[in-house]
């Protein structure tokens, strides 16, 4: 996502007004009476709220102007539906609405298309979770969301999983001293436990030339299908060290086979 600009969608964010509490109350009273000018002033006075929300989505590589516009839609919906008599601050009510609007935009524009009915199920579950979160100090469980929404637990889990943004196997997850760990390094290879490529190519001689630790790491990784994190826990070193030793061992094997 691009760095935040002073001007977004033609709005100079450095000069956005800040409303006082008494101004907010007066404006909302006038809004409820149909005063469109008061509504416009209230929207402008809360644009900083939209800015604070879209910063949470800085890792989505989306155009900041687009996110700002979508956030403004959520803000306007919040103003149109907010009831001052419910006893909560407007910002407390508006933030989940703005977040929800942006999430819907991101999911609907995902390159992997999910059916409308599945998205609707997911949105219903998310909306229910947000409502339950307001009345509880802990994160609601799937069972509680299912009971409140009328959906089954299986429907909720399946729908929420379907709308998750996909990851590339080559997305970096950690960097230490120049050695980058990728998503693929966190995935175990349980499918090929018995027909591992090392065993299939009869690399016993090459394996025997490795140190005892390198040999053991490759055995855990490729014969037993363990992740680098699992290997690190077993031999009591860091995951970054496992990655370096694994790469070094494989390089040694490739060099031996090329002789």
């Amino acid at each position: 996502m691009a760095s935040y600009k002073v001007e977004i969608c033609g709005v100079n964010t450095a000069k956005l007004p800040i409303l006082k509490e008494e101004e907010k109350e007066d404006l909302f009273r006038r809004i409820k009476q149909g005063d469109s000018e008061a509504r416009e002033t209230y929207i402008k006075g809360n644009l900083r709220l939209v800015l604070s929300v879209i910063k949470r989505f800085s890792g989505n590589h989306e155009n900041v102007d687009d996110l700002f516009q979508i956030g403004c839609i959520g803000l306007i919906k919040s103003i149109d539906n907010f009831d001052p008599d419910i006893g909560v601050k407007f910002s407390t009510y508006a933030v989940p609405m703005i977040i929800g609007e942006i999430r819907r935009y991101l999911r609907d524009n995902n390159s992997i298309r999910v059916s409308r009915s599945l998205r609707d199920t997911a949105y219903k579950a998310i909306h229910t979770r947000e409502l339950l979160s307001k009345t509880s100090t802990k994160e609601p469980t799937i069972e509680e969301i299912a009971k409140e929404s009328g959906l089954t637990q299986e429907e909720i889990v399946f729908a929420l999983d379907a709308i998750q943004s996909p990851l590339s196997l080559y997305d970096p997850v950690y960097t230490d001293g120049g050695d980058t760990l990728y998503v693929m390094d966190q995935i175990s290879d349980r499918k090929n436990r018995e027909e591992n490529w090392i065993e299939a190519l009869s690399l016993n001689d090459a394996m025997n030339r490795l140190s005892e630790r390198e040999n053991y790491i490759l055995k855990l990784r490729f014969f037993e299908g363990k992740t680098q994190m699992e290997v690190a826990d077993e031999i009591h070193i860091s995951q970054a060290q496992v990655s370096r030793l694994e790469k070094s061992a494989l390089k040694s094997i490739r060099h031996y086979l090329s002789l």
Side-chain angles (χ1 to χ4, degrees):
M1 185 173 176
S3 58
Y4 286 87
K5 303 176 291 185
V6 173
E7 186 171 293
I8 301 178
C9 296
V11 177
N12 189 334
T13 59
K15 296 182 179 180
L16 289 175
I18 300 176
L19 300 176
K20 298 179 180 179
E21 286 302 320
E22 53 269 26
E23 290 180 297
K24 292 179 181 179
E25 293 177 6
D26 178 62
L27 286 170
F28 229 99
R29 178 181 54 78
R30 290 163 53 192
I31 289 172
K32 293 303 180 184
Q33 294 173 352
D35 190 329
S36 58
E37 184 177 339
R39 183 172 180 268
E40 187 69 22
T41 301
Y42 200 87
I43 291 172
K44 291 180 179 178
N46 282 278
L47 289 179
R48 291 179 183 271
L49 195 61
V50 177
L51 289 176
S52 68
V53 170
I54 65 176
K55 288 181 181 179
R56 303 185 185 189
F57 297 89
S58 59
N60 285 281
H61 308 293
E62 292 288 337
N63 184 284
V64 66
D65 289 348
D66 292 341
L67 292 186
F68 183 72
Q69 291 183 62
I70 300 301
C72 287
I73 294 174
L75 173 64
I76 292 170
K77 287 183 178 180
S78 301
I79 293 173
D80 292 343
N81 293 283
F82 181 63
D83 182 359
D85 297 328
I86 62 177
V88 300
K89 294 177 63 175
F90 173 74
S91 58
T92 303
Y93 176 82
V95 167
M97 294 277 284
I98 297 171
I99 291 175
E101 200 68 33
I102 293 174
R103 283 177 174 167
R104 277 189 287 275
Y105 166 77
L106 293 175
R107 288 163 187 153
D108 287 346
N109 285 274
N110 197 301
S111 57
I112 297 179
R113 294 299 173 187
V114 179
S115 70
R116 169 57 64 180
S117 61
L118 202 56
R119 285 202 301 270
D120 288 344
T121 298
Y123 299 155
K124 184 176 182 179
I126 292 170
H127 179 65
T128 302
R129 181 177 63 192
E130 291 173 349
L131 291 177
L132 291 173
S133 296
K134 292 178 183 178
T135 59
S136 176
T137 58
K138 64 180 182 66
E139 182 74 14
T141 64
I142 294 295
E143 184 179 359
E144 291 170 336
I145 295 172
K147 183 177 180 181
E148 181 69 22
S149 65
L151 301 167
T152 67
Q153 295 184 49
E154 290 77 12
E155 287 175 330
I156 293 172
V157 172
F158 185 72
L160 292 178
D161 184 62
I163 62 173
Q164 294 300 312
S165 298
L167 286 176
S168 166
L169 288 175
Y170 295 95
D171 281 350
V173 294
Y174 179 73
T175 300
D176 178 40
D179 289 320
T180 302
L181 302 180
Y182 299 93
V183 171
M184 65 185 300
D185 293 327
Q186 316 302 307
I187 302 173
S188 60
D189 187 20
R190 303 187 187 280
K191 179 180 179 182
N192 294 317
R193 275 187 181 178
E194 302 304 324
E195 60 260 27
N196 184 268
W197 67 271
I198 296 177
E199 184 180 62
L201 293 176
S202 302
L203 297 179
N204 289 334
D205 288 342
M207 292 282 289
N208 289 335
R209 291 174 176 269
L210 302 175
S211 69
E212 184 178 350
R213 172 176 279 188
E214 289 175 331
N215 203 307
Y216 189 52
I217 287 173
L218 292 188
K219 177 183 176 184
L220 293 176
R221 283 282 287 141
F222 297 104
F223 281 95
E224 298 188 18
K226 293 191 175 182
T227 67
Q228 288 186 348
M229 183 64 75
E230 290 172 332
V231 174
D233 289 340
E234 181 162 334
I235 63 177
H236 308 296
I237 61 175
S238 71
Q239 185 176 3
Q241 287 177 294
V242 171
S243 177
R244 283 195 288 269
L245 289 168
E246 179 184 318
K247 290 174 182 176
S248 174
L250 292 175
K251 183 179 180 180
S252 297
I253 290 175
R254 284 195 294 269
H255 176 72
Y256 174 77
L257 292 177
S258 66
L259 294 177

